[in-house]
Each structure stands twice: as C-alpha cells, then as structure tokens.
Amino acid sequence: MPVTFSIAFAAGVTPTKWTRAWAERRPDQPLEVFRTTPDEQSAVLRDGRAQVSIVRLPIDEHDLSLIALYREIPVVVAAKDHFIADADSLLVADLADEHLLQDPDAVPEWRDVATEVRDGIRRPLAAVRDMDETMELVAAGVGIVIVPHSIARLHSRKDLVSRPVEDVAESQVSLAWLAAETTEDIEEFIGIVRGRTKASSRVDSVPAGGEKIKKEKKTDKAKAAAKALRVAAAKAKPAVAKKTQSAPGRTRSTANLKLGKRTGR
C-alpha cells in the first residue's frame, strides 16, 4: 500500500496549484493536505504528521530546511465604519491610538509607537479561541488587528474593512521540511513548487553501462562556433603583400611598387 504524502499549510496559504500538479505527476501516491495553526505549523513536521509544511515565518528553524516562496503585504483590519475606510493605505503612526487585539510583540512597528503601550494603559486581551472570534471583536469596534493580506481575505466580512500598512514588514511564506529527512518525495515536491516540469531532470541521464553522459554546455557550443568563424574569416583574408628591400633603411611593398608609390621615408 503506497505511503501517504502529507502537506501542511498555514492559514491563508493556497497550495492548490502545487497539490494539483502533484496529483497529475504522482497519481499513484496518496496525498493528504491539511491546515495548521500558527503554533503547530512546524510542530507537524517534528511529530510526523506532515512531510512538508508551508509556513509563515517566524518559526523555530533549528532542524529545518526552508525555501522562500513569496512575501505578503500587511493590512490593518477594522470595523467598516472606522476611519481607515477613507484611506488608500496607512502608516503605523496613524494607528498609534488604537487598541491592538494581538500581542504587541507580533507587530513591533506598532508596539514602538502605540499610545497604550507607552502610557502603560493597555488593557488585557479578551480570551478568544481563534481568528474568527478575534474578527468578531474587530467588527464590534473593540479594536484592530494587523495581519498578512491573505489572513484578512480568509476572514473577510461585510462588516469589516482592511487597508495596507506601508511601514510594517512583509511576512515571509516558505516551504519547510526536516533537514535530516529529505526524501525523494520531498525532492519531487520541491521541484513542483520551483516550477520544474515533469520532463525536466536534476541529474544527467545514465546509459546502460552506468556511466553518466556529459552534457555539452551551451557555452562550449558558442565557443566552437566562434572558433569556426575565426578560422573561416582567416582563410578568406587576402594574402599579405611581401616587402622587398630597395635601399638601406627603406622597404617597399610589392603591391605598392606596381603603383610606383613609396611607403617609407
């Protein structure tokens, strides 16, 4: 029975194009795909629930290999009647007087300018189970959140509005796996996310005798073509006229002698 290949992905990530490519390329290989929470996106690799995990940094990277996939812009989400609705984009300074419904350390740019942090008047966060409940509080006007754009899109509602925040760092989405367990299946999936086609190969082909065929490099072809052109051009050049000695210290070209002109003085 084939072993299932498991792919975990962070909330907001859409792995469909990669899982579809996997299904087309490996129809004999069962595939499991599931979403993770921020706390478990790397833990699923260490406990064996997933072979690869599409994560949103930061995570504990000490025993992992990672490949950067893309970056996401941050947005602020607020109730639909909030003043941010009138802006195209904002700076964190515009949000300094707001109540952030997140750990301030999760958005250090906001933390460093926030009035409630500076004045020590920040009230405790309400207990919530997940982002859905947090968005309920946002819609009720309790506070704001600053999250990657895909998270805001995942939890979009008619009573919420979101706008880009220009001076908050973008978030990095990466593919992660255990460095010590880089299997052929993982290599295959890496090839998919990097855009390699099924026909492409990472190694030279091997003939029946077992010896690798050395592929001719394009640069070698170019050098050979250039050399051939130089040889042909050299053959096409007219013979250089020989010089004859006419008098001490003077020479004449045989070609110019026919014209009766002196070449030296």
Side-chain angles (χ1 to χ4, degrees):
M1 183 176 178
V3 178
T4 299
F5 186 68
S6 298
I7 303 170
F9 64 95
V13 172
T14 305
T16 308
K17 65 178 180 180
W18 300 316
T19 57
R20 185 183 295 120
W22 177 274
E24 293 173 352
R25 193 172 302 186
R26 300 288 298 276
D28 60 325
Q29 180 82 51
L31 183 65
E32 179 187 12
V33 184
F34 62 95
R35 192 169 79 183
T36 59
T37 65
D39 294 336
E40 64 178 0
Q41 56 180 348
S42 60
V44 295
L45 297 172
R46 299 184 177 100
D47 63 22
R49 281 181 286 164
Q51 280 72 60
V52 296
S53 183
I54 304 173
V55 301
R56 183 174 287 106
L57 302 185
I59 61 171
D60 177 8
E61 303 178 20
H62 80 274
D63 55 353
L64 304 179
S65 291
L66 294 108
I67 294 175
L69 299 178
Y70 58 89
R71 302 182 74 85
E72 292 185 290
I73 63 170
V75 299
V76 54
V77 184
K80 68 176 183 179
D81 57 352
H82 196 278
F83 77 84
I84 71 167
D86 297 325
D88 293 324
S89 64
L90 300 109
L91 302 175
V92 287
D94 300 321
L95 308 169
D97 294 332
E98 301 297 316
H99 176 53
L100 189 73
L101 298 174
Q102 297 162 269
D103 181 347
D105 291 337
V107 191
E109 297 90 346
W110 177 87
R111 177 200 61 204
D112 293 344
V113 300
T115 301
E116 63 180 23
V117 173
R118 182 193 65 212
D119 296 346
I121 57 174
R122 179 173 168 81
R123 57 188 185 274
L125 293 175
V128 294
R129 290 176 298 180
D130 51 32
M131 185 58 71
D132 284 329
E133 289 192 0
T134 298
M135 291 300 184
E136 286 282 358
L137 296 176
V138 173
V142 176
I144 63 169
V145 292
I146 299 175
V147 294
H149 179 255
S150 66
I151 297 293
R153 185 176 65 244
L154 179 65
H155 297 279
S156 63
R157 301 166 36 143
K158 292 182 179 180
D159 52 0
L160 295 175
V161 63
S162 64
R163 293 291 184 269
V165 186
E166 296 178 9
D167 49 352
V168 169
E170 294 180 341
S171 61
Q172 175 68 54
V173 174
S174 299
L175 177 68
W177 69 95
L178 289 176
E181 298 182 17
T182 307
T183 64
E184 291 184 3
D185 286 342
I186 291 175
E187 290 282 7
E188 183 79 21
F189 192 73
I190 291 170
I192 288 173
V193 301
R194 283 182 163 170
R196 286 200 295 261
T197 63
K198 185 177 181 180
S200 65
S201 174
R202 296 186 300 274
V203 296
D204 297 336
S205 56
V206 180
E211 184 177 353
K212 288 185 178 180
I213 299 173
K214 184 178 180 181
K215 295 182 179 179
E216 186 177 7
K217 296 181 180 179
K218 291 183 179 179
T219 52
D220 294 338
K221 291 181 179 179
K223 289 178 180 178
K227 182 177 180 181
L229 287 173
R230 289 196 300 270
V231 171
K235 290 180 179 180
K237 286 183 179 180
V240 178
K242 294 183 179 179
K243 295 181 178 180
T244 60
Q245 191 77 25
S246 60
R250 294 184 179 180
T251 59
R252 291 193 180 189
S253 166
T254 55
N256 284 339
L257 281 171
K258 293 179 182 179
L259 299 175
K261 294 182 179 180
R262 296 175 62 184
T263 60
R265 293 183 183 273

